[in-house]
């Protein structure tokens, strides 16, 4: 069946889009392959008992976090049980120097930058982050090379402390959560491996986060990257309450590094808490600091951004560093800000007497990389997905702020690219706010809505149709046109009486639903159907879990 869409003539003809006889659902269902989990048989076998044990624990990543769980009140998570668990394990958190990172966004990237800097100097570093993309082992990296803990090491250490874990679960009457037990396991492993530093990313918040059991004597630095409106219900319902919760990681007389930039009244909350704890403050957004994003590097095989970083701080600390033509593998102005934050933290450590050369700072910044953050698939990976020649960008953005960062990154690095979005999101996210930002990206041809498991479960997954409804609302708010593709076969026909989109600046967006692989193939066909030599990019976003699903589809 061919349909000539008269009600969308103006918008559809403006795009000059030709898609001839594409049977979206009928054709793509036969091509779709099941998503394979990221694990080899040997890994699955080695971790079988560990994974079965963890699956029995309450997992808030699957079921969602209760209201006010992260606030420092009687409604918050009970840190007492975490302290009792660690006491039974010999208080491993007191056997290394910790760097504790909280914030709404940028925690994982800042941890990656700083861990990489420390490893470049030769330190043995443990890094604990969440969530993971492909395998739970990614949450714990060890040693001087930063590789995820091996399945053998993780399983072996689990078996060593299993009796203590069993006893703790009984004593706490089954209230210990998945995150609490895994955090304790990570700390115990870091102590056993005798790491020099442990870079620890807070999970939910700060004050009542399971990671917030580090004493001031064991803390080297605390870092707060930024404050945004995520997990509002769990953290008190306002930006102010979120800032108060995050400030809970500040410890007496230990330096605080602020990423930012922050709203003035939010920064005052953080600085007031630091003042009350006699903690000196270093701001990555200090007026004396200058960072410049100069564009893409032409000397790197993969996209890298060329940056200058100048640190000049004269309050509380005297810190200076100048790095010219740093090549960051993590793209976007937000990643440059995270790199500046990590550099400030490294200089603060150097001020405390730790050896850290300028060469190590540069090398660490340039080597740092995180899966699912402005990650371009290689040509081989695209081919393994059955999309030879496709350019695919993975980014786990899932808030208005991270969506804006993604939009800014695309505009800066590939301003002329034609885009198709493949989107899946968790049900508690701000779908409408996310859509408003992403629809501003520029040359957008289509948005494909799909569904994926959230932390291995569908209970927090937003249906593709519900997600599409939010984007339709967002598109209508801007006065833009869209085509909701509900038919199995269609053809968009050029109207000979209107000008092209290049002349009118008017463009419609196609909205469609399908499985992940259907969406990827549909997006690829959309881009291949365009005329000219303009770069086409499939952007997979909305959740780190959809990034995980894409990567899992070609990992053995």
């Amino acid at each position: 069946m061919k349909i000539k869409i008269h009600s969308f003539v103006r918008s559809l003809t403006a795009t000059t889009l030709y898609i001839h006889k594409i049977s979206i659902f009928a054709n793509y269902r036969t091509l779709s392959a099941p998503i394979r989990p990221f694990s080899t048989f040997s890994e699955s076998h080695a971790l079988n008992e560990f994974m079965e044990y963890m699956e029995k624990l309450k997992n808030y990543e699957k079921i969602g976090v209760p209201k006010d769980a992260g606030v420092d009140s009687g409604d918050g998570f009970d840190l007492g049980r975490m302290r009792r668990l660690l006491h039974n394990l010999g208080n491993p958190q007191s056997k290394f120097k910790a760097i504790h990172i909280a914030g709404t966004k940028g925690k994982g990237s800042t941890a990656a930058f700083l861990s990489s800097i420390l490893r470049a100097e030769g330190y043995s570093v443990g890094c604990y982050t969440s969530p993971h993309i492909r395998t739970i082992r990614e949450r714990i990296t060890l040693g001087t090379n930063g590789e995820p803990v091996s399945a053998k090491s993780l399983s072996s250490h689990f078996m060593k402390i299993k009796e203590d874990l069993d006893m703790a679960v009984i004593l706490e009457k089954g209230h210990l959560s998945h995150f609490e037990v895994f955090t304790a396991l990570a700390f115990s492993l870091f102590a056993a491996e005798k790491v020099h530093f442990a870079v620890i990313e807070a999970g939910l918040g700060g004050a009542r986060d399971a990671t917030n059991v580090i004493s001031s004597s064991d803390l080297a630095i605390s870092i707060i990257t930024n404050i945004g409106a995520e997990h509002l219900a769990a953290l008190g319902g306002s930006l102010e309450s979120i800032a108060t919760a995050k400030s809970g990681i500040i410890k007496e007389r230990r330096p605080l590094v602020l990423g930012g930039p922050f709203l003035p009244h939010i920064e005052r909350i953080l600085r007031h808490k630091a003042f009350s704890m006699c903690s000196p403050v270093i701001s990555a957004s200090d007026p004396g600091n200058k960072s410049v994003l100069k564009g893409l590097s032409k000397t790197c095989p993969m996209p890298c951004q060329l940056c200058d970083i100048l640190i000049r701080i004269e309050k509380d600390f005297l810190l200076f560093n100048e790095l010219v033509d740093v090549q960051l593998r993590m793209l976007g102005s937000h990643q440059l800000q995270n790199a500046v934050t990590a550099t400030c933290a490294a200089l603060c450590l150097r001020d405390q007497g730790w050896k850290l050369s300028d060469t190590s700072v540069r090398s660490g910044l340039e080597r740092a990389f995180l899966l699912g953050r402005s990650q371009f698939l290689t040509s081989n990976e695209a081919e393994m997905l059955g999309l030879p020649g496709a350019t695919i960008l993975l980014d786990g953005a899932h808030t208005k702020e991270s969506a804006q960062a993604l939009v800014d990154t695309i505009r800066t690095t590939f301003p002329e690219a034609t885009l198709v979005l493949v989107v899946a999101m968790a049900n508690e996210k701000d779908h409408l706010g996310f859509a408003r930002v992403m629809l501003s990206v520029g040359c957008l041809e289509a948005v494909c809505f799909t569904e994926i498991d959230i932390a291995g479960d569908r209970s927090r997954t937003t249906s593709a149709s519900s997600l599409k409804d939010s984007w339709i609302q967002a598109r209508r708010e801007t006065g833009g046109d869209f085509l909701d593709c509900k038919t199995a076969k269609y053809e968009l026909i050029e109207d000979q009486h209107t000008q092209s989109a290049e002349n009118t600046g008017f463009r419609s967006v196609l909205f469609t639903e399908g499985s992940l692989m259907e969406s990827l193939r549909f997006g690829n066909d959309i881009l291949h159907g365009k005329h000219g030599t303009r770069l086409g990019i499939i952007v997979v976003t909305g959740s780190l879990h959809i990034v995980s699903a894409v990567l899992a589809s070609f990992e053995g």
Side-chain angles (χ1 to χ4, degrees):
M1 177 176 63
K2 297 181 180 180
I3 302 176
K4 187 169 185 176
I5 314 292
H6 293 285
S7 61
F8 291 95
V9 166
R10 178 170 173 255
S11 61
L12 296 180
T13 59
T15 64
T16 64
L17 174 63
Y18 297 86
I19 309 174
H20 294 293
K21 299 177 182 177
I22 299 176
S23 299
I24 303 175
F25 302 108
N27 289 349
Y28 288 117
R29 279 203 182 104
T30 61
L31 295 172
S32 298
I35 300 298
R36 299 191 304 274
F38 176 77
S39 63
T40 61
F41 173 79
S42 57
E43 175 181 322
S44 298
H45 182 72
L47 291 179
N48 185 56
E49 187 169 353
F50 166 72
M51 295 303 292
E52 286 184 357
Y53 189 94
M54 298 300 290
E55 282 296 315
K56 295 175 183 177
L57 302 172
K58 183 175 291 186
N59 189 343
Y60 291 106
E61 290 179 32
K62 287 185 178 181
I63 64 177
V65 182
K67 185 177 184 294
D68 292 331
V71 300
D72 196 12
S73 74
D75 295 321
F77 283 135
D78 179 12
L79 278 182
R81 62 174 178 251
M82 188 67 189
R83 293 191 179 100
R84 291 188 290 272
L85 170 58
L86 289 170
H87 176 75
N88 290 340
L89 294 175
N91 287 315
Q93 76 280 9
S94 66
K95 297 176 183 177
F96 46 74
K97 277 296 177 186
I99 298 161
H100 201 187
I101 306 177
T104 302
K105 304 300 297 181
K107 300 186 297 295
S109 297
T110 302
F113 279 125
L114 187 53
S115 297
S116 184
I117 290 170
L118 293 169
R119 289 195 301 268
E121 188 62 50
Y123 291 112
S124 176
V125 182
C127 186
Y128 180 60
T129 59
S130 60
H132 60 273
I133 300 293
R134 300 172 300 182
T135 166
I136 197 170
R137 296 187 294 106
E138 294 168 21
R139 299 189 181 209
I140 301 174
T141 61
L142 283 167
T144 57
N145 59 6
E147 292 295 319
V149 61
S150 69
K152 181 179 179 181
S153 294
L154 181 57
S155 177
S156 175
H157 194 75
F158 165 71
M159 294 308 298
K160 286 179 183 178
I161 66 173
K162 183 176 180 298
E163 186 174 331
D164 292 315
L165 294 177
D166 289 339
M167 182 61 67
V169 170
I170 293 172
L171 291 175
E172 301 298 339
K173 299 178 181 179
H175 292 302
L176 279 170
S177 69
H178 184 286
F179 187 75
E180 288 169 326
V181 170
F182 199 76
T183 299
L185 175 63
F187 288 179
S188 179
L189 192 53
F190 292 157
E193 293 292 324
K194 296 182 170 58
V195 300
H196 297 107
F197 291 98
V199 180
I200 299 163
E201 176 189 344
L204 171 66
R208 290 302 182 99
D209 191 82
T211 62
N212 198 30
V213 289
I214 302 159
S215 68
S216 57
S217 60
D218 298 319
L219 181 71
I221 304 171
S222 56
I223 301 173
I224 299 177
T225 55
N226 57 30
I227 301 296
E230 188 176 15
H231 301 301
L232 274 171
L235 295 174
S238 69
L239 284 180
E240 293 79 7
S241 64
I242 291 174
T244 300
K246 306 292 187 186
S247 72
I249 70 166
I250 301 171
K251 298 296 188 296
E252 188 173 3
R253 300 185 186 279
R254 303 313 303 150
L256 167 67
V257 176
L258 294 177
F262 299 91
L263 294 171
H265 72 290
I266 295 299
E267 184 163 345
R268 282 195 294 272
I269 292 173
L270 301 176
R271 286 184 176 272
H272 177 74
K273 178 61 180 288
F275 179 79
S276 71
M277 304 294 285
C278 299
S279 299
V281 177
I282 302 157
S283 175
S285 300
D286 188 281
N289 297 342
K290 305 294 181 186
S291 58
V292 180
L293 202 167
K294 301 195 291 189
L296 289 183
S297 170
K298 298 184 187 290
T299 62
C300 297
M302 293 293 287
C304 289
Q305 59 186 15
L306 203 62
C307 310
D308 292 344
I309 296 175
L310 171 65
I311 306 297
R312 183 183 283 114
I313 293 175
E314 299 176 349
K315 185 178 180 181
D316 288 335
F317 290 84
L318 294 177
L319 304 179
F320 177 81
N321 192 266
E322 186 173 14
L323 301 170
V324 178
D325 290 341
V326 180
Q327 299 181 42
L328 298 182
R329 298 172 64 190
M330 292 198 280
L331 306 180
S333 58
H334 62 299
Q335 294 294 8
L336 175 55
Q337 179 66 22
N338 293 331
V340 172
T341 303
T343 301
C344 287
L347 297 180
C348 182
L349 288 172
R350 186 160 72 185
D351 187 78
Q352 294 179 42
W354 296 92
K355 181 184 175 185
L356 272 170
S357 68
D358 289 351
T359 300
S360 294
V361 174
R362 173 188 289 273
S363 177
L365 292 175
E366 293 186 335
R367 292 179 187 176
F369 176 74
L370 271 183
L371 290 171
R373 280 75 164 185
S374 299
Q375 177 189 355
F376 281 89
L377 296 186
T378 65
S379 57
N380 184 52
E381 289 168 337
E383 189 167 350
M384 292 173 71
L385 286 172
L387 305 172
T391 301
I392 303 173
L393 172 62
L394 309 181
D395 193 284
H398 54 270
T399 67
K400 291 185 294 185
E401 293 80 8
S402 56
Q404 189 62 61
L406 175 56
V407 166
D408 292 343
T409 298
I410 294 171
R411 286 174 176 168
T412 301
T413 52
F414 300 99
E416 301 300 321
T418 301
L419 307 172
V420 169
L421 306 181
V422 177
V423 182
M425 298 187 75
N427 56 21
E428 75 274 11
K429 304 303 179 184
D430 181 4
H431 306 142
L432 184 58
F434 186 86
R436 288 180 181 131
V437 176
M438 291 304 304
L439 284 169
S440 71
V441 70
C443 191
L444 180 60
E445 294 295 338
V447 184
C448 307
F449 305 101
T450 190
E451 300 169 11
I452 39 82
D453 289 350
I454 304 294
D457 190 84
R458 283 291 171 112
S459 61
R460 289 177 54 213
T461 301
T462 304
S463 69
S465 59
S466 176
L467 199 55
K468 184 174 66 176
D469 288 342
S470 296
W471 285 64
I472 289 174
Q473 180 180 341
R475 187 64 174 170
R476 283 174 172 158
E477 288 176 357
T478 64
D481 283 309
F482 63 91
L483 175 62
D484 184 359
C485 303
K486 296 179 179 177
T487 56
K489 188 185 293 185
Y490 64 90
E491 181 177 12
L492 305 182
I493 303 174
E494 180 185 21
D495 191 310
Q496 302 297 323
H497 304 292
T498 59
Q499 295 176 316
S500 69
E502 286 72 15
N503 293 328
T504 64
F506 196 91
R507 183 174 299 277
S508 67
V509 177
L510 306 181
F511 289 162
T512 188
E513 303 170 41
S515 72
L516 176 57
M517 293 307 298
E518 287 168 359
S519 297
L520 290 169
R521 291 190 175 101
F522 173 74
N524 193 47
D525 278 351
I526 289 281
L527 295 176
H528 279 182
K530 296 298 293 178
H531 294 281
T533 58
R534 173 179 281 180
L535 173 66
I537 302 176
I538 301 172
V539 182
V540 180
T541 189
S543 169
L544 283 172
H545 300 284
I546 190 174
V547 170
S548 175
V550 171
L551 294 175
S553 67
F554 56 75
E555 296 286 359

